[in-house]
Amino acid sequence: MSIGEMLAATVPMARTLNLEFLETSPERAVVSLPDQSDYHNHVGGPHAGAMFTLGESASGAIVLAAFGDQLSRAVPLAVSAEIAYKKLAMGPVTATATLGRPAAEVVAELDAGERPEFPVSIAIQRGDGAVTGEMTVVWTLRPNG
């Protein structure tokens, strides 16, 4: 099962919004929100909450891709999130997530008995390439036990 399939199977909001996991690697995750009138706002574009969920889902996908081999000893958890809505989003939108710290550095902190935190940056774009939103989600790997 791919990371996208796993997230769609285990995260009800990802299924509800019909998110499409286009690319998931430790370097980058790309997730798309189709244009769906049920999730539009008052001006006919995707609702802010749907775009937040899109960005957070892309960040979760890259975290699982980068740190999936650590799940036996740590649980990934979102610590905080910020989003800025830059331009009107219309039609389908795509979120691209990238890690803000090298994965090896985060794992080294975990190895040292720490609870590492690391940012994931997300750009949300509409079909013409314009960036409609920018988001940062800070994650942690909480050691088990």
Side-chain angles (χ1 to χ4, degrees):
M1 182 181 289
S2 73
I3 289 174
E5 291 168 336
M6 182 179 72
L7 285 171
T10 59
V11 179
M13 278 303 292
R15 280 194 316 276
T16 296
L17 292 177
N18 300 305
L19 298 182
E20 299 171 10
F21 293 83
L22 305 176
E23 178 185 338
T24 305
S25 74
E27 292 76 38
R28 180 172 115 130
V30 181
V31 182
S32 178
L33 172 66
D35 186 23
Q36 303 165 91
S37 61
D38 285 348
Y39 306 112
H40 281 177
N41 59 21
H42 61 289
V43 294
H47 188 277
M51 288 193 295
F52 182 94
T53 300
L54 170 68
E56 194 275 341
S57 296
S59 76
I62 197 170
V63 167
L64 287 175
F67 303 108
D69 60 341
Q70 304 299 318
L71 295 180
S72 64
R73 66 182 186 140
V75 176
L77 298 169
V79 174
S80 64
E82 290 185 10
I83 191 165
Y85 302 101
K86 300 289 191 177
K87 291 186 178 191
L88 184 61
M90 297 298 281
V93 289
T94 303
T96 302
T98 55
L99 285 179
R101 291 179 56 199
E105 187 179 286
V106 174
V107 172
E109 287 182 18
L110 188 62
D111 289 343
E114 298 173 26
R115 182 177 170 165
E117 290 190 2
F118 53 95
V120 175
S121 298
I122 305 102
I124 301 172
Q125 296 175 283
R126 60 186 185 213
D128 66 2
V131 174
T132 62
E134 294 174 341
M135 185 172 182
T136 301
V137 180
V138 176
W139 286 83
T140 190
L141 296 179
R142 184 190 75 199
N144 295 337

